[in-house]
Amino acid sequence: MNTNKIPVIAIDGPSASGKGTIAQLVARKLGFHYLDSGALYRLVALKAIQLNADMQNSGQLAEIARNLNVYFKDEQIYLDGKIVTDDIRTEQCGIAASQLAAYPQVRAALTERQRAFRQLPGLVTDGRDMGSVIFPDAILKIYLTASAGERAQRRHKQLIEKGMSANITDLLQDIQKRDERDSNRSIAPLQQGADAKLLDTTSLTISQAQDTVLSWYNDILAKTRV
Ligand code: CDP
């Protein structure tokens, strides 16, 4: 079947904006598949750390990305058959992911793996370039953000809930550095595309943000049915 007809909701945005939480909830509500593209970059980072790879060697990192032995099952992430769902969430992995995500060869190595998630009845995905590069024909593109201070609070809560240690001041600094690196890289930079709707969640609850996405999607469906 021509997968281009399968609806995709692409949610891009900066670090710790809550896009993953919203994307997952929307996917569940619609019965769609879900792709956390950042997890793939984090998995490459984890594998590179395990192999003690040279973080400046884009060829070696791309090779790791191409050969990544990973699968997603029942909300768990497996790398080489071992559950790494929490291991990839450390700040160390996030920072390394952001560094290696700047290499075009690494991004290219992950492109088809991401597109393979486009399956019936539809896909909700989140990342930095879902609407701009991976699924340019997505039916709904959203740029989901929140203030840096609010994002640091959210990331803090998330790490503490996972039993990891975290410090708000350090997290805020990490977030600002990551924003800068993700926004200024030459390939697939983080930015709001002209065709993406802005969703600022600074003062929205999770359920308000989820409802906004669902109502935008329903509006599009209503229009395409006419
Ligand atoms: O959880 P957080 O939003 O901090 O990051 P993530 O979505 O897990 O992604 C980790 C890193 O991977 C980001 O800082 C980006 O540099 C990179 N990434 C990317 O370049 N393109 C994507 N589609 C997703 C993530």
Side-chain angles (χ1 to χ4, degrees), residues 12-17 19 36-39 41-42 89 94 97-99 101 107 114 126-130 155 158 178 182 185 188:
D12 289 305
S15 188
S17 52
K19 57 191 185 314
D36 170 4
S37 64
Y41 288 90
R42 285 172 178 270
R89 294 295 152 202
S98 160
Q99 285 166 346
R107 305 197 71 83
Q114 294 174 83
D126 76 89
R128 304 294 188 284
D129 61 344
M130 295 300 97
R155 177 52 47 91
Q158 186 187 37
R178 198 114 67 90
D182 289 352
R185 69 183 176 213

Side-chain angles (χ1 to χ4, degrees), residues 14-81:
S15 188
S17 52
K19 57 191 185 314
T21 306
I22 304 302
Q24 253 172 301
L25 286 169
V26 169
R28 205 171 298 151
K29 199 90 186 173
L30 296 173
F32 280 13
H33 299 277
Y34 167 60
L35 164 65
D36 170 4
S37 64
L40 290 174
Y41 288 90
R42 285 172 178 270
L43 283 157
V44 178
L46 180 64
K47 185 75 192 179
I49 292 167
Q50 287 173 353
L51 294 174
N52 215 353
D54 175 1
M55 288 295 175
Q56 316 290 329
N57 185 338
S58 54
Q60 187 188 5
L61 295 169
E63 187 67 20
I64 292 175
R66 260 190 302 278
N67 295 324
L68 210 56
N69 173 16
V70 57
Y71 64 95
F72 297 79
K73 193 170 175 257
D74 301 332
E75 302 193 359
Q76 296 289 4
I77 303 174
Y78 295 78
L79 176 65
D80 299 325

Side-chain angles (χ1 to χ4, degrees), residues 124-137:
V124 185
T125 179
D126 76 89
R128 304 294 188 284
D129 61 344
M130 295 300 97
S132 56
V133 178
I134 305 296
F135 302 108
D137 60 345

